[in-house]
Amino acid sequence: MSKKSVFIVSFLTFSVSIFPQKSIDQKVDALLKKMTIEEKIGQMNQYNDDWTSTGPVTVDNEKAAQIRNGQVGSLLNCLGTARVRSWQKMAMQSRLKIPLLFGQDVIHGFKTTFPIPLAEAASWDLSAIELSARIAAIEASASGINWTFAPMVDIARDPRWGRVMEGAGEDPYLGSRIAYARVKGFQGEKLGSVNSLMACAKHFAAYGAAIGGRDYNSVDMSNRLLWEVYLPPFKAAVDAGVSTIMNSFNDLNGVPATGNKYLQRDILKGKWGFDGFVVSDWGSIGEMINHGNVKDEYEAALSAITAGCDMDMESRCYKNNLEQLVKDKKIDVSLIDDAVRRILRKKFELGLFDDPYRFCNADREKAALNDPEHSKIARQMAEKSIVLLKNENQLLPLSKELKTIAFIGPLVKSLKQNKGFWDIDVPNTDSTFIVSQWQGLQNKVGQSTKLLYAKGCEIEGNDQSGFAKAVETAKQADVVILSIGERRDMSGEAKSRSNITLPGVQEELVRAIMATGKPVVVLINAGRPLVFNYITDSVPAILYTWWLGSEAGNAIADVLFGDYNPSAKLPITFPRSVGQIPIYYSHFNTGRPATNDEDRNYRSAYTDLSIYPNYEFGYGLSYTTYQYSDLKMTAKTMNVNGKIGVSAIITNTGKYAGEEIVQLYIRDKVGSIVRPVKELKDFIKIHLNAGESKTVTFSIDKEKLSFYNQRLEWVAEPGEFDVMIGASSADIRLKDSFELLN
Ligand code: NOJ
């Protein structure tokens, strides 16, 4: 190297060290100093775009003017690069040119629709779930979006609640693992990559415990239950680096979550050190007036900002009141600065200050929304989500040599129903981009198999006039496949149901078809656990297909014919009756436990109902069978800071290769707070060829044995613990115990 170049290199190194790149925090502070109070408050406002009602760009003048004045921080429901770009251009006309954030409910896919989250949770396949979120992020970020209001990580134990479809079910451990995977999937390797979205864990907190399963309802629960069951998935999301949290509509023990300081400031931003920002739910700041917790919008804004809510989704309480609150010395401007700092930091991290249009490349949008690889991944995810509930005499898988198959039911030919509740009509794309169940079957069978169709009845209503044709069709077939269930929008936001049996006359249709004596396979399509005892008791083969998304038809056909061997297991208990709700596996034993249906007298049971659910948490069959053997523990005692290894051998004893989800449950026999009869503490999904054996190992440490004691301390108490390895929460195959020493 010449002297001159040595000089240049050392000068460069020197200049880098004396003029270091400004950190994001420094940039945020510098920008904050330039902002007027009005501009600061502007960052805390999020408005809805108008696409739902009007389609193509309609510019609301008031909104446009506010954006140009720097009075809006974010828009939601704005679809497509062209439209996003047009709003962003307006933001670039504002004094400080602060770019907008664009949020959207990208819940289970964007253009390529994936199975609803509850269905994906049934896969217990964390890498597949992460990949599903990744694909959604790739598509949405190519289409202008940089923020998804997902994942919903609310634990839900009441299938009457319509939003049970949007979460990962009833269990805090499984829910936490899935929350972590989804956040990683949406956000990708690093916020700031052009295909990563900010994730938003919602709804903070305890929204899933709405009394009676009625959406938006109050929640009343002990602090212990909150910490042990409802908060862990949020903590997992924070640990995964989630950028934002949405608070919730419900009140928690009388304090609306949106104005709840304990939740947002003390736990989330305090104890957990969350450094992203909190957005309200739609209008939830203003709704605190309806709750009866504040008098007017002025007080609502005061309550929300004090409690730690940084952004106002659509209530306009912040816009209209924050400045006055500062003038009246009700709040210090530092509260506003803190909120704005959090929001601006994310805008910097997303790279929006470097290029406000970085998510608005129309060529990239076109390519990402037409990538055939995404459909393949959606098909695999859908296969993994289908739960085989019953398979008497190995009716499934069906032979590809069958001469005639009758495919009957109101859901056979529908397209859009397969998409489930949170579908997105992406502009300028083909909205029939869905494989119907009929199409899937046609794609699967060869020329020599005849497919017959009859609708039988509608999803709802009393009309049985189609039964006769359905019965005639069934009589001509070797096998009947019946596709029944809910309408896709019977579960979802504001879709609570008091009666969760099959709507309309569908059960009567099943009875009429069963009377033909033909072998029948039922596909149940729904966003929640339904009650279908007649089908459980009488129909030989049942697949729970939830809503599987764009590739539903192909995935269902793959499972019906054994090209995919079902492996999913229920992430939520299926009750036998609404009267059993809430029903979940990790209940306490009580002083008078009912251990079987013959012994219910003076027991913790109903006199008129079985103690058992229809199907338990963790349940799901396969076309093959698995044997569990050779439970080994590395020790019978454990020191508090030690570990115990647990292993077992799992053998595929059937004819088909498959995947088994091996579940580890633990019971703390005696606790200063009563402990559940069992709690999921780990699981592993393994692939086994026919005849193959594999050893699975788990490691038990203090963390897996801990709980919140009366003082809300996270402790493991010495004493005896049961260790159970099973194929479901009720199908425990291997059991042992150990002692935790003092
Ligand atoms: C209300 C829902 O509760 C929330 O989950 C959703 O993200 C917002 N609406 C925005 O659509």
Side-chain angles (χ1 to χ4, degrees), residues 80-150:
T81 50
R83 192 165 170 90
V84 167
R85 184 179 278 276
S86 70
W87 286 119
Q88 196 68 295
K89 264 192 183 159
M90 290 178 213
M92 289 303 109
Q93 291 160 21
S94 66
R95 189 177 75 91
L96 293 170
K97 303 191 181 352
I98 302 177
L100 294 165
L101 292 170
F102 290 89
Q104 178 72 34
D105 289 292
V106 184
I107 308 290
H108 48 106
F110 188 68
K111 182 197 170 196
T112 310
T113 312
F114 279 77
I116 58 168
L118 188 61
E120 288 194 354
S123 74
W124 300 47
D125 194 323
L126 301 172
S127 36
I129 290 171
E130 183 175 333
L131 183 60
S132 154
R134 188 85 288 278
I135 301 301
I138 288 171
E139 292 189 1
S141 64
S143 205
I145 306 301
N146 42 44
W147 180 15
T148 173
F149 304 122

Side-chain angles (χ1 to χ4, degrees), residues 117-118 121 154-157 164 166-172 174-175 571-572 617:
L118 188 61
D154 296 308
I155 295 297
R157 296 178 161 184
V164 73
E166 201 177 329
E170 76 181 44
D171 185 64
L174 181 61
I572 184 167
F617 174 84

Side-chain angles (χ1 to χ4, degrees), residues 76 105 149 163 202-203 207 246 249 281-282 313 493:
L76 77 154
D105 289 292
F149 304 122
R163 296 195 85 167
K202 66 190 189 185
H203 305 82
Y207 182 46
M246 186 184 290
F249 288 127
D281 203 342
W282 186 300
M313 184 191 286
E493 185 182 343

Side-chain angles (χ1 to χ4, degrees), residues 426-438:
V426 179
N428 310 318
T429 61
D430 177 7
S431 63
T432 59
F433 170 73
I434 303 158
V435 182
S436 72
Q437 300 178 11
W438 178 250

